[in-house]
Amino acid sequence: MIFSDSRIALQAVVLISILWNASAYLQGDFGKTFCWVTEVGTNIREFSECPPNINMTWSLPDQGLRVTADEEFTVDFRIFVGSQMLFIHSPEIDHANLHACRQVLGSCTPFIEESPGLVTQAPQLTGSLDDGYASFKQDFSLPAGEHTLIAHSRFYTNGSRIHTVAEELSVDGNDTITQFPKVVTLKWDVAIGVDIEANVKLGYFSTAAEITVAV
């Protein structure tokens, strides 16, 4: 009896590659919420637009998509998760925070580790769902430059996956393929993103300084 988990993992990697290049906030699609679903204990991770029962929204800083470098601004964000999800942790949202990556790095995902000057992360928060919603607020600052800002939430659920078994019946290599559901733990990483620019604050010269410069 041969279990084809390795084939499933390979198919998942191919699926990730196809969907990653299809559409994401990483490529300017800022109006959608995206999910990375990982089967805990395996390398199987699927990426796609989130299902309708999972959604994130946020309120961007008053300055819009341009902020002052190294000065704090506030971002409110929240996640909605439908009641049909079977959560296994309490509080349900065990990780929520803001991330920002320099655009020169390319793709900015929830899995990129913090790196001074390149990748910035806010402290981790947790939250309980109230009528399906959990809300968060964080102060954040960015070094000068162009960044992709993302709001990230994570939770765990029980779920099922279809696993395939190939049972060899004869020496001629003919197999019987059997599929069966398997209860698994799923890790959901959910994110929305937007491009944001942090500009250096310009100093103001006094009248004396202006005269000196003019001379």
Side-chain angles (χ1 to χ4, degrees):
M1 184 174 293
I2 303 171
F3 287 82
S4 61
D5 283 359
S6 60
R7 278 183 284 177
I8 295 175
L10 179 59
Q11 291 170 357
V13 170
V14 173
L15 177 63
I16 292 167
S17 177
I18 293 172
L19 291 173
W20 189 273
N21 290 301
S23 62
Y25 67 82
L26 308 169
Q27 296 180 339
D29 193 351
F30 302 116
K32 296 180 180 179
T33 304
F34 290 90
C35 288
W36 292 258
V37 185
T38 305
E39 183 177 327
V40 175
T42 74
N43 293 321
I44 302 174
R45 177 184 292 162
E46 299 175 359
F47 167 78
S48 68
E49 182 181 350
C50 291
N53 63 319
I54 300 175
N55 185 52
M56 287 189 70
T57 57
W58 58 359
S59 175
L60 294 170
D62 293 338
Q63 304 95 311
L65 302 182
R66 289 183 175 84
V67 296
T68 302
D70 302 316
E71 288 191 3
E72 286 192 344
F73 56 91
T74 301
V75 177
D76 294 275
F77 61 99
R78 72 176 183 171
I79 182 171
F80 171 79
V81 185
S83 59
Q84 59 269 49
M85 307 294 282
L86 301 176
F87 297 99
I88 61 175
H89 288 169
S90 181
E92 296 89 347
I93 308 302
D94 80 334
H95 175 105
N97 68 341
L98 299 172
H99 301 229
C101 308
R102 293 265 191 177
Q103 290 182 14
V104 294
L105 294 179
S107 302
C108 186
T109 74
F111 312 105
I112 299 178
E113 295 183 358
E114 188 169 13
S115 177
L118 295 175
V119 181
T120 307
Q121 294 185 11
Q124 174 180 319
L125 304 174
T126 61
S128 298
L129 295 176
D130 183 6
D131 289 331
Y133 291 94
S135 299
F136 306 94
K137 174 181 287 189
Q138 289 196 300
D139 294 327
F140 203 59
S141 63
L142 292 169
E146 296 179 336
H147 305 263
T148 298
L149 176 68
I150 67 173
H152 169 223
S153 298
R154 184 178 64 214
F155 58 89
Y156 291 81
T157 67
N158 285 325
S160 63
R161 283 283 191 263
I162 299 299
H163 285 247
T164 302
V165 177
E167 185 174 0
E168 188 173 321
L169 298 179
S170 62
V171 295
D172 63 7
N174 292 325
D175 295 343
T176 297
I177 305 299
T178 303
Q179 292 185 324
F180 65 97
K182 177 183 177 182
V183 176
V184 296
T185 298
L186 300 177
K187 178 169 71 79
W188 294 77
D189 288 281
V190 185
I192 51 176
V194 69
D195 289 343
I196 191 167
E197 183 178 345
N199 297 311
V200 175
K201 185 175 183 179
L202 299 178
Y204 175 73
F205 292 107
S206 66
T207 303
E210 291 173 348
I211 294 173
T212 302
V213 171
V215 172

